[in-house]
């Protein structure tokens, strides 16, 4: 039968562990492959949607609203789909159906020009796709087992590798052809990714089950972890503001400054290069600095990035600031996943739900505020 993750030997010493994590063990290779392809497919289209919306003459305020409704749908979709998957023990089925719908709906945006129709499609697609990463993260953590749980960060970083390769590749393709290439690349990458999800053995079977419904679990969390959760909410709110502004509007600004699709791809690849480094050493960083100091450093670095972007006069000078992405995103995300897992109530999905959903919710606030300011500026 298949080799289970708990049978994988663990190397001693950080350098030996690094070599072991890079090995082509058949069990760990499956987790790396699925992360690589999922984020490869996302990077073909998601980062460039605001540029596409600008190319069909939508205003900044409309682009901001369209970007804001996506995390709104995700905020509601992730816990609903996750709870359904937990209740009926149908995690694989939920992933397969919702992922296929999300890919198809994203591709259909290419044929739409009405903001209303685009908004409806985005809401539906984002709702379907919202539970993909949390359910997959929880399944892979369970699949690795308690002894190999620390290897999660290194599996996840292969998603960053896929994101970086895809963004550079589709940037070149779009430069040589036209902006619609983003949609075709995303569709083409979605097909093998769906089959990878189909073949992947999620590890929910042996995980602790809970029949407690969604809202009682939320109430339990707020009652038992009030101050830690409020502090966590504040940090994620600030990070969500910074992340939202950068992810939605930076490429539009670079285009206005004269940047081309190749620059956009190189920019994403640059951010990913530092993201990979921080994911590799995330466990050591968190053990050395702790969650609080790591989050504080991430917030300070976000301030530096935003000030730098505000002073840009040439698009290619954006690249030095992209080197800070590893600290602002990868380190922050690893700390949020760890803290969210520590304070979450029992349940398969909730162990990794809160960092994702809270970031989505507070990202909504950021995008709405940015959109209002643009509309009246």
């Amino acid at each position: 039968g298949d080799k289970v993750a708990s049978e994988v030997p663990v190397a001693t010493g950080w350098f030996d562990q690094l070599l072991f994590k890079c090995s082509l063990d058949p069990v760990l290779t499956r987790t790396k492959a699925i992360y690589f392809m999922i984020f490869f497919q996302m990077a073909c289209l998601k980062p460039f949607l605001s540029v596409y919306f600008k190319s069909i003459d939508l205003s900044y305020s409309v682009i901001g609203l369209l970007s804001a409704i996506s995390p709104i749908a995700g905020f509601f979709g992730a816990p609903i789909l996750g709870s359904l998957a937990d209740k009926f023990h149908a995690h694989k089925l939920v992933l397969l159906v919702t992922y296929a719908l999300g890919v198809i709906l994203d591709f259909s945006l290419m044929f739409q020009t009405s903001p209303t129709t685009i908004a409806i499609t985005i809401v539906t697609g984002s709702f379907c796709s919202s539970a993909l990463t949390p359910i997959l993260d929880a399944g892979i953590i369970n699949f690795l087992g308690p002894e190999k749980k620390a290897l999660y960060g290194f599996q996840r970083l292969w998603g960053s590798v896929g994101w970086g390769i895809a963004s550079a590749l589709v940037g070149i393709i779009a430069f040589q052809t036209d902006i619609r290439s983003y949609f075709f690349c995303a569709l083409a990458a979605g097909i093998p990714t769906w089959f990878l999800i189909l073949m992947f053995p999620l590890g929910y079977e042996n995980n602790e089950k809970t029949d407690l419904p969604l809202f009682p679990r939320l109430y339990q969390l707020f009652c038992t972890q009030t101050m830690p959760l409020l502090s966590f909410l504040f940090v994620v709110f600030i990070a969500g503001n910074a992340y939202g502004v950068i992810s939605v509007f930076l490429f539009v600004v670079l285009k206005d400054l004269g940047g081309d699709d190749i620059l956009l791809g190189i920019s994403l690849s640059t951010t990913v290069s530092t993201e990979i480094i921080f994911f590799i050493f995330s466990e050591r960083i968190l053990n050395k600095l702790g969650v609080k100091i790591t989050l504080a450093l991430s917030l300070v670095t976000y301030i530096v990035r935003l000030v730098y972007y505000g002073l840009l006069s040439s698009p290619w000078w954006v690249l030095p600031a992209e080197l800070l992405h590893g600290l602002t995103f990868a380190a922050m995300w690893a700390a949020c996943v760890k803290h969210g897992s520590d304070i979450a109530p029992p349940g398969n999905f909730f162990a990794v739900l809160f960092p994702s959903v809270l970031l989505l919710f507070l990202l909504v606030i950021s995008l709405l505020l940015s959109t209002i300011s643009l509309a009246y500026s």
Side-chain angles (χ1 to χ4, degrees):
D2 285 346
K3 186 178 184 182
V4 295
S6 60
E7 297 174 1
V8 181
V10 177
T12 58
W14 74 267
F15 185 70
D16 289 338
Q17 289 179 359
L18 180 61
L19 294 177
F20 165 69
K21 293 170 186 176
C22 291
S23 69
L24 295 179
D25 182 277
V27 175
L28 297 181
T29 298
R30 281 188 281 184
T31 65
K32 294 178 176 67
I34 198 166
Y35 273 124
F36 179 92
M37 285 305 303
I38 283 175
F39 284 89
F40 184 98
Q41 191 275 335
M42 288 183 183
C44 289
L45 179 60
K46 299 292 186 183
F48 305 103
L49 272 178
S50 59
V51 176
Y52 172 75
F53 293 150
K54 192 70 169 62
S55 73
I56 58 176
D57 297 325
L58 298 183
S59 66
Y60 282 116
S61 58
V62 172
I63 293 173
L65 286 172
L66 291 175
S67 301
I69 61 176
S70 177
I72 289 175
F75 174 73
F76 289 103
I80 291 173
L81 294 174
S83 290
L84 287 174
D86 271 358
K87 181 175 179 61
F88 297 104
H89 310 305
H91 303 89
K92 178 73 71 68
L93 179 62
V94 169
L95 285 180
L96 290 171
V97 173
T98 56
Y99 184 75
L101 289 174
V103 170
I104 294 171
L105 288 167
D106 283 346
F107 182 74
S108 71
L109 287 171
M110 183 177 64
F111 307 102
Q112 301 168 18
T113 56
S114 167
T116 302
T117 307
I118 292 174
I120 294 173
T121 304
I122 288 177
V123 167
T124 309
S126 297
F127 184 93
C128 291
S129 304
S130 59
L132 171 64
T133 302
I135 291 180
L136 186 65
D137 283 347
I140 286 179
I141 289 174
N142 296 332
F143 173 71
L144 292 173
E147 295 180 1
K148 306 297 179 294
K149 187 176 180 180
L151 297 179
Y152 162 77
F154 204 90
Q155 312 312 305
R156 170 60 180 81
L157 79 82
W158 283 90
S160 302
V161 175
W163 186 281
I165 292 175
S167 57
L169 181 63
V170 299
I172 295 173
I173 292 174
F175 181 78
Q176 297 293 333
T177 55
D178 60 63
I179 200 167
R180 292 177 299 175
S181 301
Y182 297 133
F183 294 92
F184 287 106
C185 290
L187 180 63
I191 297 173
T193 304
W194 189 90
F195 282 101
L196 271 178
I197 297 173
L198 175 65
M199 295 183 293
F200 188 81
L202 294 177
Y204 284 98
E205 292 76 10
N206 299 321
N207 194 57
E208 176 187 0
K209 303 296 191 298
T210 177
D211 294 324
L212 193 62
L214 170 63
F215 290 104
R217 275 188 279 176
L218 288 173
Y219 179 75
Q220 174 187 348
L221 176 68
F222 277 92
C223 289
T224 59
Q225 301 284 344
T226 304
M227 290 309 298
L229 182 59
L230 289 177
S231 301
F232 186 48
L233 282 170
F234 176 76
V235 171
V236 176
F237 170 74
I238 302 299
N241 271 269
Y243 179 80
V245 170
I246 293 172
S247 63
V248 175
F249 295 110
L250 177 60
F251 280 3
V252 177
V253 171
L254 293 179
K255 278 285 191 176
D256 287 344
L257 290 174
D260 55 29
D261 294 298
I262 292 180
L263 171 62
L264 303 187
I266 293 175
S267 173
L268 283 174
S269 297
T270 304
T271 63
V272 167
S273 65
T274 60
E275 184 178 314
I276 291 171
I277 294 173
F278 273 87
F279 270 127
I280 290 175
F281 296 102
S282 60
E283 182 184 1
R284 290 174 58 83
I285 292 172
L286 289 173
N287 289 337
K288 185 73 173 179
L289 301 179
V291 170
K292 294 180 181 179
I293 295 178
T294 302
L295 290 174
L297 286 174
S298 298
L299 295 179
V300 171
T301 310
Y302 261 129
I303 295 173
V304 174
R305 285 184 73 183
L306 290 169
V307 171
Y308 185 92
Y309 292 145
L311 300 176
L312 276 180
S313 58
S314 173
W316 283 91
W317 278 101
V318 73
L319 296 180
E322 304 302 76
L323 294 173
L324 300 175
H325 177 76
L327 183 55
T328 56
F329 178 76
M332 180 272 295
W333 190 260
C336 284
V337 168
K338 183 179 186 303
H339 187 64
S341 179
D342 290 341
I343 68 174
N348 290 329
F349 184 65
F350 270 68
V352 291
L353 169 68
F354 286 99
S356 303
V357 175
L358 290 178
L359 183 61
L360 285 172
F361 174 66
L362 298 169
L363 179 60
V364 170
I365 300 175
S366 166
L367 294 173
L368 290 176
L369 291 176
S370 300
T371 299
I372 293 172
S373 65
L374 283 169
Y376 290 96
S377 62

